[in-house]
Amino acid sequence: MTFTPRVFSGIKPSGDLHLGNYLGAIRRFVPLQDTHETLYCVVDMHAITVWQAPEDLKRWTYEIAAAYIASGLDPGKSIIFNQSQVMEHAELSWIFNCVARMGWMERMTQFKDKAGENSENVSLGLFAYPSLMAADILLYKATGVPVGDDQKQHLELTRDIAKKFNHDFRKQIKDLGFEEEFFPITETLATGPAMRVKSLKDGTRKMSKSDASDTSTIYMMDDAGTIARKIKRATSDAAPLPETAQGLAGRAEAENLVGIFAALSNRSLDDVLGEFGGRGWGAFKPALADLAVAVLAPIAGEMARLVGDRSEMDTILRDGADRARAIAQPTMDQVRRIVGFIR
Ligand code: TRP
């Protein structure tokens, strides 16, 4: 049994998008459109596993869809939609809740990190989060998922759920005419070296929308002046830039800023340091600010236009959901039959 090469990924609408989302995720989604069937989702059902003010949830959902399109995802090539419009996600995740084991879920480090001391008082949905993520992926029998390291454990769980489903229902799957697996064993897709963007104030911490300092994070919709100011104030160190990438070892802030420059310009670290090695931050930071503005400003402009036109966005999302459903429904019909639900 061979599966159509199909990619699924998603971003949660739970905050403003930042440079880490762009370089680490969205930008890497774009080239996959030419080699795979691609589905890019705004996972609003995942977002509500922690409290979201409904108006914010809507705004961020539109913002992510707009960022996808403004960054080069083509709604004619990729299926762009929000999760909650395709109710099959919820239905399959319930079935997966009954496939996954408590012990598997209890080992999820992201849950442990998010629940922290407060594990008695977080939502049941937060605990079941990875099961919904497995449903997102397997509903479309996606063969590859581009995600960062922090999602590797969830992908492993997705494979465990697929394997257990394929095994527990092997007789019914066979009776339905499948030679072996019903769900594929989805791979984590590496699309070139991932850029892990760090905080501009602390090169050891991830860039994040929830950072206390508002100069530590470059948002995708920041204006040119704001981007330049944040880069100017970014923490650096006293030494000049090294001549080669090896020289960045032990210099977390320098590594982050040079890494951002390399990623934004599609150049290697060594190439960038060939130009700036030996020079000081006073030369590098303005060049980085100009580059960041040149790359991000057109995207921000297009995002602003799109989020300002909710009826166009609604049309795009509805069309995406229709196309997603056309793939999901036949699979879901088979799943219902496999588990023994009468229709
Ligand atoms: N959990 C992912 C994150 O926090 C978001 C997500 C939900 C996702 N469903 C997905 C990513 C399916 C890839 C595939 O980044």
Side-chain angles (χ1 to χ4, degrees):
M1 171 87 198
T2 50
F3 293 94
T4 311
R6 189 178 283 151
V7 162
F8 184 100
S9 199
I11 298 179
K12 264 192 318 260
S14 57
D16 288 319
L17 289 166
H18 55 74
L19 187 61
N21 300 117
Y22 178 67
L23 292 176
I26 301 172
R27 196 181 65 152
R28 305 168 71 213
F29 295 169
V30 178
L32 294 166
Q33 297 183 112
D34 299 318
T35 50
H36 294 72
E37 262 186 49
T38 42
L39 294 105
Y40 294 115
C41 192
V42 185
V43 289
D44 47 6
M45 288 160 63
H46 277 104
I48 63 164
T49 56
V50 300
W51 170 253
Q52 304 294 336
E55 276 310 315
D56 289 340
L57 181 68
K58 268 192 213 172
R59 186 166 52 82
W60 286 323
T61 299
Y62 284 122
E63 186 180 309
I64 293 174
Y68 282 164
I69 296 165
S71 302
L73 293 181
D74 174 353
K77 288 185 189 165
S78 291
I79 296 179
I80 294 171
F81 72 111
N82 61 308
Q83 187 183 29
S84 61
Q85 286 205 56
V86 182
M87 66 181 182
E88 285 76 5
H89 289 252
E91 189 178 358
L92 186 58
S93 83
W94 178 258
I95 292 170
F96 287 172
N97 286 346
C98 303
V99 172
R101 305 290 90 187
M102 287 294 284
W104 301 359
M105 308 303 284
E106 278 161 358
R107 283 193 284 277
M108 293 292 116
T109 57
Q110 184 166 309
F111 176 76
K112 288 192 267 190
D113 291 347
K114 289 208 167 175
E117 310 279 85
N118 197 28
S119 68
E120 289 294 302
N121 200 34
V122 295
S123 73
L124 181 55
L126 189 68
F127 190 65
Y129 180 114
S131 168
L132 177 59
M133 178 163 163
D136 296 341
I137 296 164
L138 296 175
L139 186 55
Y140 305 99
K141 301 190 177 188
T143 52
V145 173
V147 281
D149 282 344
D150 63 329
Q151 297 299 313
K152 274 197 174 153
Q153 197 186 28
H154 288 160
L155 259 292
E156 234 158 80
L157 183 95
T158 300
R159 289 190 282 272
D160 288 340
I161 289 176
K163 282 180 203 155
K164 185 160 161 57
F165 185 96
N166 289 339
H167 178 268
D168 290 355
F169 297 104
R170 61 193 175 284
K171 180 176 177 301
Q172 292 73 18
I173 290 168
K174 209 162 180 216
D175 290 349
L176 218 71
F178 289 86
E179 306 231 321
E180 34 185 308
E181 295 158 333
F182 182 74
F183 287 123
I185 307 305
T186 309
E187 284 173 60
T188 309
L189 273 193
T191 50
M195 170 68 206
R196 286 187 219 314
V197 181
K198 300 297 201 314
S199 158
L200 297 182
K201 289 288 167 189
D202 177 351
T204 63
R205 292 199 347 262
K206 248 171 85 162
M207 182 173 283
S208 133
K209 61 199 165 210
S210 49
D211 205 294
S213 155
D214 89 329
T215 55
S216 62
T217 304
I218 294 175
Y219 293 100
M220 285 184 76
M221 294 191 76
D222 278 347
D223 59 38
T226 306
I227 293 174
R229 182 173 55 86
K230 287 177 179 178
I231 290 175
K232 198 166 147 217
R233 296 195 187 160
T235 305
S236 53
D237 52 23
L241 283 122
E243 306 283 342
T244 64
Q246 275 107 45
L248 293 169
R251 296 176 64 182
E253 281 78 20
E255 186 172 10
N256 187 39
L257 294 174
V258 176
I260 291 171
F261 194 107
L264 284 171
S265 58
N266 294 307
R267 291 164 65 184
S268 69
L269 293 172
D270 281 322
D271 190 39
V272 173
L273 291 170
E275 181 181 345
F276 290 98
R279 298 169 69 188
W281 294 103
F284 182 78
K285 280 184 170 180
L288 177 58
D290 287 347
L291 172 64
V293 168
V295 173
L296 295 175
I299 296 174
E302 179 64 0
M303 281 173 71
R305 187 189 72 75
L306 286 164
V307 296
D309 188 347
R310 288 200 173 181
S311 80
E312 181 182 349
M313 293 304 296
D314 288 340
T315 304
I316 292 170
L317 290 173
R318 212 174 303 120
D319 173 65
D322 289 343
R323 286 150 64 207
R325 231 180 275 115
I327 304 174
Q329 280 175 344
T331 300
M332 210 49 227
D333 278 339
Q334 291 170 334
V335 169
R336 293 186 200 109
R337 266 192 276 168
I338 287 167
V339 303
F341 289 163
I342 291 170
R343 301 287 287 178

